Amino acid sequence: MSSDAPDTIANLIADIKQQDEKLHAWCAFSDINAPNTPPIGEFHQNNPPLQNLTVGVKDIIDVAGLPTRCGSAIYDNAPPAVVDAACVALMRSAGAVMVGKTVTTELATFVPAATLNPVNPAYSPGGSSAGSAAAVAAGHVDLAIGTQTAGSILRPAAYCGVFGFKPSFGLVPRTGVKVQSESLDTVGVFARNIEHCAAWLAAMTGEPPSAMDAAPRKLRIACVTTLMEFATADMQAAITRAKHALAAAGHDVLDWALPAALANILEQQKIIQNFEAARAYHAERSQRRALLTPALAVALDEGAAIPRVTYLQAMHRAEQARSLADGLFENWDVWLMPAAPGSAPHGLSSTGDPIFNRLASMLHTPAISVPVYADKAGLPLGLQLVGVRGRDVALLGNAQTISKVLIA
């Protein structure tokens, strides 16, 4: 990076601060002079995949020199992190520039944040990675990272009209991340193009993004019909339009209903998430309850009341479902379904329903939200592509092939 890099970053941050006065996507900004802040420009790779790309980091993930406040009053006085989270350190080593921390909903849960949707501020940006999606959509940074337990990457990406990539579970290290669910939480990325998603994945894994080029020319696409009764008319029309476009481009596109063993695991996902969240946030609930939003405190109480035997049964069914899904992908390259029921909810009272996202989170499969169309109000609609567990680069290659057909 050039010798004037500190001035360039300072100017960028000043511009973002001015633009963010109404958007509220950011909660802290990097200071290259702060204690513990890694030096800029000390790359540890040849041809680093993220060279000079700017990044926002969801505020449940440690960034050296900045506090991690988790969107909660409990952590208002948190000290600056001493070291980066593992995923942040990997990005720095790959040449990325950490701009600052993006707003998260309270403890990365359903409680809405103050962030507005940059496409239309009268609408929600989704959650829990609200600030990350909004910061990328507003053009503040090239990339932003977030986390997903149910739908916290795919859904905000769809609402804000950007790409949101959730890798296979366990692919990205979570050291330095405030974990809500040990069995589900996954670090992912928001970007304005698939190439940046692939570059980020290369930084996380060391696998070159050029591997995307191996995607087959003719794809076998399963258009998942299960749950479509929960999609809006605009989303249903978007799915139909996408099916016709992909078929016309020469791909095999067939309607396909999930086997009952998969369709019925959404409730099991809720059980696992709620049980584990209650335990992960036990200290907050028991020691600082007065600083929690009342609805969140009650939700954590309900999670704590779930019998362990019920949780263990859900975990067993999850493993069965994952094995089943692995086999089903012998017939398909990718599953196509909505990334959200429709466009963003009006106002900030809700972050939206993750009903279409729980499946990929539960199955530990990679999934990506692709911004393709808009509804009658001009709000973005995102389609979700789900791939084979552990074959993340293949999914990105297939998503690139599909997006070239669907995005003019």
Side-chain angles (χ1 to χ4, degrees):
M1 187 172 287
S2 63
S3 59
D4 64 347
D7 290 338
T8 301
I9 296 169
N11 291 336
L12 171 64
I13 289 174
D15 289 343
I16 292 174
K17 285 182 177 179
Q18 184 176 17
Q19 297 170 31
D20 197 52
E21 289 179 358
K22 295 182 179 178
L23 187 61
H24 309 301
W26 297 86
C27 56
F29 291 95
S30 295
D31 179 356
I32 62 172
N33 298 311
N36 304 321
T37 301
I40 294 171
E42 291 197 357
F43 306 145
H44 305 292
Q45 303 174 4
N46 293 323
N47 301 316
L50 301 181
Q51 186 161 8
N52 295 339
L53 294 185
T54 53
V55 180
V57 179
K58 183 177 182 178
D59 194 28
I60 62 167
I61 302 171
D62 287 346
V63 173
L66 294 178
T68 302
R69 296 191 174 116
C70 304
S72 170
I74 293 172
Y75 295 99
D76 277 351
N77 297 315
V82 175
V83 297
D84 287 328
C87 57
V88 174
L90 286 169
M91 286 189 289
R92 284 198 205 269
S93 293
V97 178
M98 299 303 121
V99 172
K101 306 293 286 289
T102 54
V103 171
T104 176
T105 63
E106 184 178 4
L107 294 176
T109 63
F110 60 87
V111 181
T115 307
L116 305 179
N117 191 320
V119 178
N120 186 326
Y123 292 82
S124 169
S128 61
S129 307
S132 292
V136 172
H140 294 171
V141 284
D142 299 307
L143 303 172
I145 55 171
T147 58
Q148 176 160 313
T149 309
S152 294
I153 293 172
L154 296 168
R155 196 173 72 262
Y159 290 163
C160 293
V162 297
F163 290 89
F165 173 54
K166 181 200 81 70
S168 297
F169 176 80
L171 190 65
V172 180
R174 298 184 310 196
T175 305
V177 179
K178 177 73 169 173
V179 172
Q180 177 185 145
S181 170
E182 289 287 350
S183 303
L184 299 171
D185 282 5
T186 303
V187 178
V189 69
F190 298 87
R192 288 187 294 279
N193 57 65
I194 292 179
E195 290 74 21
H196 280 172
C197 292
W200 176 81
L201 184 63
M204 295 298 104
T205 65
E207 188 170 6
S210 59
M212 284 201 313
D213 298 336
R217 292 186 177 181
K218 184 176 182 179
L219 297 176
R220 301 165 300 164
I221 302 171
C223 186
V224 179
T225 57
T226 309
L227 303 175
M228 281 303 293
E229 66 271 22
F230 296 100
T232 64
D234 282 331
M235 178 57 76
Q236 292 183 23
I239 291 286
T240 299
R241 180 180 172 185
K243 286 164 48 179
H244 291 164
L246 291 166
H251 300 291
D252 290 334
V253 185
L254 294 175
D255 285 346
W256 179 67
L258 293 172
L262 294 185
N264 293 336
I265 66 167
L266 302 190
E267 287 302 317
Q268 309 305 316
Q269 189 276 338
K270 294 180 186 178
I271 290 170
I272 293 170
Q273 179 177 356
N274 294 342
F275 181 93
E276 293 186 347
R279 280 143 189 84
Y281 297 151
H282 178 75
E284 289 86 353
R285 182 173 67 95
S286 62
Q287 300 172 19
R288 295 291 186 271
R289 186 183 183 92
L291 295 178
L292 292 173
T293 298
L296 176 55
V298 170
L300 293 175
D301 290 343
E302 293 171 350
I306 296 173
R308 181 167 178 79
V309 65
T310 302
Y311 166 72
L312 293 176
Q313 289 171 347
M315 291 287 283
H316 177 66
R317 289 168 184 159
E319 286 301 325
Q320 291 179 319
R322 288 165 195 148
S323 296
L324 174 60
D326 290 344
L328 290 172
F329 269 109
E330 293 180 3
N331 302 316
W332 309 105
D333 294 305
V334 67
W335 297 348
L336 170 67
M337 58 196 300
S343 57
H346 188 270
L348 295 181
S349 62
S350 170
T351 61
D353 189 344
I355 188 168
F356 287 102
N357 313 131
R358 294 185 187 275
L359 181 69
S361 292
M362 183 69 152
L363 295 180
H364 289 175
T365 55
I368 186 168
S369 178
V370 179
V372 288
Y373 307 127
D375 67 6
K376 295 182 181 65
L379 296 169
L381 293 171
L383 301 187
Q384 178 182 184
L385 303 174
V386 180
V388 185
R389 180 166 53 154
R391 295 190 59 199
D392 295 62
V393 174
L395 173 64
L396 290 178
N398 294 338
Q400 186 179 57
T401 298
I402 289 171
S403 65
K404 287 179 179 177
V405 174
L406 302 183
I407 301 175

